[in-house]
Amino acid sequence: MSTPPLHEPGPRVANRLAREKSPYLLQHAHNPVDWYAWGDEAFERARREDKPIFLSVGYSTCHWCHVMERESFEDEAVAALINRYFVPIKLDREERPDVDRIYMTAMQATGMGGGWPLNVFLTPTLEPFFGGTYFPPRSMPGRIGMMELLPRVHEAWGSERAKIEETGARILAGIAALDEATPSESGSEALFEQAFDALSRFADLEHGGFGEHPKFPSPSNLNFLMRDAWRRARAEPHARAATAAAPDAAPLAMVTRQLDAMAAGGIHDAIGGGFHRYSTDREWLTPHFEKMLYDQAQLASAYLEASQLTGTARYAEVARGIFEYVARDLLAPEGGFLSAEDADSEGEEGRFYVWRPAELEAELGREDARLFAHRYGVTERGNFEHGTSILHEARPIESTAQEFGLAPDEARARLASAVSRLLAARSRRVRPHRDDKVIASWNGMMISAFARGARVLDDASLAARAERAAEFVWNELCHGGERELSRRWRDGESAGPGQLDDHANLALAFVDLNEATQEVRWLERAVAITERMVARHWDAEHAGFFEAAAGDASIRVRLKEGFDGAEMAGNSVALRVLETLARLTGRTEWSTMARLTAAYFRGRLADGAAAMPQMLVALEELESPPRHVVIAGDPVHADTRALIAEHARRYLPHDRLLVTGSAAAHERLAVVAPFTASLVAREGRATAYVCENFVCQMPIQDPRAFAAQLDAATVPTFDSTPATGASA
């Protein structure tokens, strides 16, 4: 039910969008609609001609955006009405999330719906007054069509102008009020319990995840629950009693049930690795087949942390599969990570990914095809459209081996061979459209994941991949002596203002990359990016960070994202970055900003802590004693690597690892992190220091003794009296 995402130039004359770099805008470059990109040219025309703006927002791998483009924006009659009565603007939400957030919030706040495509009518001064999501070309039961809607809006603009302008102003004022700080006396312990209770109520204890359907991966929830499980395990005996009373609702049980179900379900690409956007059913079987970079990054980190916390090798294997997928299919030749792959190919959603028994037999031969079909649920009837089957782990390896009279290891080997052959066969199919822009924020997430993977999986190649991407982003998206950050790069051009999440995720990525590579320059660059983040986004009056930088007149309201959704909110990540770097560098002003940000968001969290689980993670870290692990030694030497490996295999979420390296590197590190200056290798051997509140335990050189020190992790403590004040 869609069209190929990118149109080849046809007989129509290209519109203005042909000059753009965004894949989404280019998909509309040959519509008969007289599209403008978001910018002054369109705004000036709207004011000059006194016409409302028709703003249409989406992204290049959005299924229903494709549908609306084909049905409405390619329709000559619809286009004629848009062009006659409005100034039409196309916006890529991935390039301008700040603009998208304003108008998405407006539509949700006024009960007009939310989702993409987002279609909003604005006054010439950019105030929203009506809108919705998908509109068909002509009306159908329960949904007005474009041919009927457009004349009505035009008529209302002429006859009810004052009322419309009042409505638009009121909507913007209401959105601005959402960001007003609310005092709260809630302590972090109470917020943690509130969030856990809320997630427990919504948890699907049978199939994993939260709610009924559709089901989203929700990595922020998983990240919080793993922290909560770790915290509870150290608050004995209370934690043991609570877990025993409701074992299925224990935080770690919720995590493992979801990770297991997702890894076995159709949402997981069993052939190529990685995960699709979400599941349309409760069982994680039938996905929306789109693949997003930010999902890969966050889920790789979740599976890595779960492997550390539980010791389950399967989770590490799933994470490795994500890295293989990203490196193979979402890697730009220049080194950055690309944004997404579409759900559709050859006009059908999921066609690239599904199989029939005859196709398996043609590639694998009869016996291996039967073995594979048994394991992955491929049948003649199928479980998807047109008799095709979505691959999923329908039966365990052990029962599959038994069914075919094989030893489990032999079954595994034959299935692994089958996966390789099917991946090669699938690569010959028509691929879904790939959105090949490089987004700074999403690259930050993916660099972090690769860096963490390098440590947890002890794989230097992952660190090298992360480092190459980080160098690309640093060189191509960070400009000038002040390292001004752009949002995206594509086809040799960087553009768009860097958002809060771009700065925060890149800064955190550079901190993580320092841990993986022991290269001091990444800490130096993390500091530089954080300085720009504070300069551009900090709210000196009320605290917290605006998503958009100051100075853009088209941003009518500067918002502070208060929801950890498909991506973690920029403020949630920024809080972690501020406190992490404040503790490393001694920048007390950043620590003050972190505490003021925590106080600001504590008021929001009091009425719905589960909306920002990653903010709770940041609060926990903020209110716990700083713990640094410094290994004095050169990572090229085996004794240093042994100590690093001992730390890497443990789940120690409060730790920050620093490795001093050579004498020259140590001197450079001490400039960034002054407390490390006196921590040196002893007697020519690598030496580990576990430091809490900048007081270090006895230096240790034996890996087993070091392990014992690490395992004596301190119980997190919580400050029940929030910080007060409004500026730093």
Side-chain angles (χ1 to χ4, degrees):
M1 189 182 173
S2 74
T3 187
L6 288 175
H7 291 299
E8 295 297 329
R12 293 195 183 105
V13 176
N15 58 44
R16 293 175 189 81
L17 300 186
R19 304 194 299 256
E20 301 297 320
K21 294 286 189 180
S22 160
Y24 178 62
L25 299 190
L26 289 172
Q27 287 170 359
H28 296 77
H30 291 84
N31 294 162
V33 178
D34 188 22
W35 292 116
Y36 288 80
W38 181 265
D40 289 340
E41 184 183 6
F43 308 151
E44 288 169 5
R45 180 186 163 195
R47 290 190 291 267
R48 184 175 65 252
E49 299 183 7
D50 197 30
K51 285 183 176 179
I53 290 167
F54 174 69
L55 173 65
S56 184
V57 185
Y59 56 102
S60 80
T61 57
C62 163
H63 175 74
W64 284 100
C65 299
H66 302 336
V67 174
M68 190 165 179
E69 189 231 357
R70 183 194 68 195
E71 292 181 347
S72 292
F73 301 142
E74 284 288 311
D75 187 302
E76 297 280 358
V78 171
L81 289 178
I82 294 175
N83 296 339
R84 183 182 310 155
Y85 296 140
F86 305 96
V87 176
I89 297 178
K90 257 293 165 194
L91 183 82
D92 185 337
R93 67 165 298 266
E94 294 173 349
E95 292 196 349
R96 292 302 303 263
D98 49 352
V99 178
D100 172 64
R101 187 166 289 119
I102 293 170
Y103 298 113
M104 181 66 73
T105 303
M107 293 302 98
Q108 291 170 332
T110 53
M112 297 182 198
W116 298 279
L118 177 68
N119 296 287
V120 188
F121 295 92
L122 315 177
T123 69
T125 52
L126 307 181
E127 295 162 334
F129 61 89
F130 187 77
T133 54
Y134 165 74
F135 293 110
R138 288 157 186 82
S139 296
M140 60 178 63
R143 192 175 290 271
I144 191 170
M146 294 287 283
M147 292 298 295
E148 292 73 33
L149 174 64
L150 295 168
R152 290 188 194 179
V153 174
H154 168 68
E155 182 180 346
W157 179 251
S159 62
E160 302 179 59
R161 173 73 172 271
K163 183 178 178 181
I164 284 174
E165 290 176 337
E166 180 186 349
T167 297
R170 188 172 64 250
I171 290 172
L172 288 185
I175 294 172
L178 296 175
D179 273 346
E180 292 178 0
T182 304
S184 173
E185 297 301 318
S186 297
S188 297
E189 182 70 28
L191 294 175
F192 257 66
E193 290 302 322
Q194 182 197 128
F196 174 73
D197 289 345
L199 292 175
S200 298
R201 287 195 302 273
F202 287 104
D204 181 346
L205 300 179
E206 182 180 358
H207 297 287
F210 301 91
E212 289 291 326
H213 62 84
K215 277 210 179 138
F216 290 83
S218 305
S220 292
N221 293 348
L222 300 175
N223 185 265
F224 164 76
L225 288 169
M226 282 189 275
R227 293 292 186 108
D228 200 35
W230 179 80
R231 181 179 67 90
R232 289 170 186 268
R234 284 155 176 76
E236 299 180 1
H238 173 266
R240 283 205 302 264
T243 300
D248 287 339
L252 191 56
M254 286 192 275
V255 171
T256 57
R257 187 163 283 111
Q258 178 172 338
L259 293 180
D260 291 341
M262 287 176 55
I267 192 174
H268 184 210
D269 182 354
I271 293 293
F275 284 85
H276 301 294
R277 178 74 275 270
Y278 61 85
S279 175
T280 62
D281 55 30
R282 183 184 174 194
E283 295 79 16
W284 302 99
L285 172 63
T286 307
H288 174 50
F289 289 89
E290 177 183 19
K291 281 182 167 182
M292 307 301 297
L293 182 66
Y294 57 76
D295 283 326
Q296 314 313 318
Q298 293 175 106
L299 287 172
S301 292
Y303 277 98
L304 288 170
E305 291 194 345
S307 75
Q308 290 176 303
L309 195 54
T310 68
T312 303
R314 164 71 159 151
Y315 297 151
E317 176 189 338
V318 173
R320 192 178 289 280
I322 294 173
F323 294 136
E324 290 172 353
Y325 160 66
V326 171
R328 184 185 62 245
D329 293 334
L330 289 181
L331 185 65
E334 297 83 359
F337 298 114
L338 307 180
S339 294
E341 287 194 295
D342 209 320
D344 305 351
S345 58
E346 299 184 83
E348 295 179 18
E349 181 172 5
R351 180 167 181 168
F352 182 74
Y353 297 100
V354 296
W355 296 85
R356 292 181 174 85
E359 293 172 321
L360 296 183
E361 188 167 339
E363 300 296 337
L364 304 177
R366 187 169 182 272
E367 290 305 312
D368 279 355
R370 289 180 59 239
L371 177 71
F372 187 90
H374 186 272
R375 164 72 166 151
Y376 288 103
V378 180
T379 64
E380 290 292 345
R381 181 178 180 181
N383 57 30
F384 191 55
E385 298 169 356
H386 314 302
T388 60
S389 292
I390 300 166
L391 302 183
H392 64 291
E393 294 178 3
R395 298 173 184 84
I397 284 279
E398 292 74 17
S399 64
T400 299
Q402 186 176 12
E403 175 73 18
F404 288 84
L406 302 171
D409 285 347
E410 183 182 357
R412 286 189 185 91
R414 286 176 56 179
L415 287 167
S417 172
V419 165
S420 296
R421 285 178 281 165
L422 291 177
L423 179 61
R426 196 177 76 177
S427 69
R428 297 191 292 270
R429 294 178 174 179
V430 176
R431 290 196 68 88
H433 157 66
R434 184 173 67 174
D435 188 316
D436 60 354
K437 65 180 180 290
V438 175
I439 297 287
S441 174
W442 302 357
N443 270 252
M445 293 183 210
M446 201 70 242
I447 291 164
S448 280
F450 269 92
R452 294 166 188 168
R455 297 185 63 240
V456 176
L457 303 176
D458 191 21
D459 186 342
S461 71
L462 299 178
R465 183 75 68 194
E467 198 159 28
R468 183 166 180 252
E471 287 287 4
F472 173 81
V473 172
W474 180 254
N475 292 323
E476 298 297 333
L477 285 163
C478 300
H479 305 285
E482 293 186 343
R483 289 292 171 180
E484 194 78 17
L485 181 62
S486 294
R487 170 72 176 176
R488 73 104 172 106
W489 179 94
R490 182 176 185 269
D491 195 21
E493 177 195 84
S494 58
Q499 309 281 299
L500 172 62
D501 62 336
D502 295 312
H503 290 83
N505 280 311
L506 274 181
L508 185 59
F510 292 165
V511 173
D512 288 334
L513 194 51
N514 167 259
E515 291 195 6
T517 66
Q518 298 86 47
E519 291 286 347
V520 182
R521 72 178 183 277
W522 296 117
L523 276 184
E524 296 167 339
R525 292 175 180 183
V527 169
I529 290 291
T530 303
E531 289 172 342
R532 296 303 303 151
M533 178 179 78
V534 169
R536 289 172 58 85
H537 296 274
W538 174 249
D539 179 359
E541 182 177 0
H542 300 109
F545 289 87
F546 293 113
E547 296 297 302
D552 185 342
S554 73
I555 301 297
R556 294 297 310 274
V557 180
R558 294 175 74 200
L559 297 178
K560 298 173 188 171
E561 176 61 33
F563 180 63
D564 291 318
E567 303 171 52
M568 296 175 184
N571 271 284
S572 298
V573 183
L575 179 55
R576 286 193 68 198
V577 167
L578 280 179
E579 187 62 16
T580 295
L581 289 177
R583 292 174 173 187
L584 285 173
T585 66
R587 299 277 290 264
T588 56
E589 72 276 18
W590 287 353
S591 185
T592 300
M593 288 178 177
R595 293 183 181 278
L596 291 171
T597 299
Y600 173 90
F601 278 95
R602 200 184 296 273
R604 285 194 179 190
L605 292 169
D607 294 327
M612 294 192 77
Q614 184 62 24
M615 178 61 74
L616 295 178
V617 167
L619 283 176
E620 180 214 11
E621 203 162 302
L622 175 69
E623 297 173 357
S624 299
R627 194 170 111 138
H628 300 102
V629 176
V630 180
I631 297 175
D634 194 324
V636 302
H637 297 148
D639 57 347
T640 306
R641 292 199 305 273
L643 294 174
I644 294 172
E646 202 63 56
H647 187 268
R649 67 186 182 85
R650 286 170 166 75
Y651 182 77
L652 297 168
H654 289 170
D655 281 13
R656 277 299 170 186
L657 175 70
L658 295 168
V659 179
T660 63
S662 66
H666 191 179
E667 184 177 345
R668 190 172 171 184
L669 175 64
V671 173
V672 181
F675 76 93
T676 66
S678 62
L679 305 180
V680 297
R682 303 206 169 187
E683 300 171 350
R685 295 170 57 197
T687 306
Y689 299 84
V690 178
C691 308
E692 190 167 309
N693 267 329
F694 305 102
V695 176
C696 300
Q697 299 181 39
M698 291 293 294
I700 283 181
Q701 295 172 323
D702 178 62
R704 288 173 295 181
F706 179 47
Q709 270 193 356
L710 293 175
D711 289 338
T714 302
V715 179
T717 58
F718 293 92
D719 178 7
S720 61
T721 56
T724 57
S727 63

